[in-house]
């Protein structure tokens, strides 16, 4: 799944069992999405426009990237 420092961080934080890691990551992403990303959505007008144009998947991919960048930052 992840390698390097991020993989070590994830294994330390959530455990190394792949099925547990996946469940924990989904929960963490949902928490990030609703508590952090949506509260900052107005900072990304292109993402708001994408949602208004029926391209919510584009915005979810952007949110996922932001989430993983945040995990990588925490791993450092």
């Amino acid at each position: 799944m992840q390698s390097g420092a991020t993989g070590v961080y994830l294994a330390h934080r959530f455990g190394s069992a792949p099925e547990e890691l996946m469940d924990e990551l989904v929960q963490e992403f949902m928490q990030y999405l609703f508590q952090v990303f949506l509260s900052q959505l107005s900072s990304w007008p292109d993402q708001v426009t994408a949602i208004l144009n029926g391209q919510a998947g584009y915005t979810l991919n952007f949110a996922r990237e932001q989430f993983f960048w945040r995990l990588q930052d925490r791993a450092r």
Side-chain angles (χ1 to χ4, degrees):
M1 173 167 255
Q2 296 287 326
S3 61
T6 305
V8 171
Y9 169 76
L10 292 174
H12 178 70
R13 181 159 180 204
F14 302 118
S16 58
E19 59 280 348
E20 291 177 19
L21 178 59
M22 187 64 70
D23 289 343
E24 292 293 332
L25 280 175
V26 168
Q27 289 178 15
E28 286 282 318
F29 176 68
M30 296 303 290
Q31 182 178 4
Y32 167 77
L33 185 65
F34 291 118
Q35 293 180 354
V36 177
F37 185 79
L38 289 178
S39 68
Q40 298 174 355
L41 189 57
S42 63
S43 300
W44 298 298
D46 56 329
Q47 300 305 321
V48 174
T49 300
I51 291 171
L52 294 174
N53 289 330
Q55 299 172 326
Y58 175 81
T59 301
L60 284 173
N61 284 334
F62 180 79
R64 188 194 67 222
E65 289 175 6
Q66 296 292 315
F67 173 71
F68 279 109
W69 288 340
R70 184 177 175 159
L71 284 178
Q72 289 174 353
D73 285 344
R74 288 182 179 175
R76 293 183 189 145

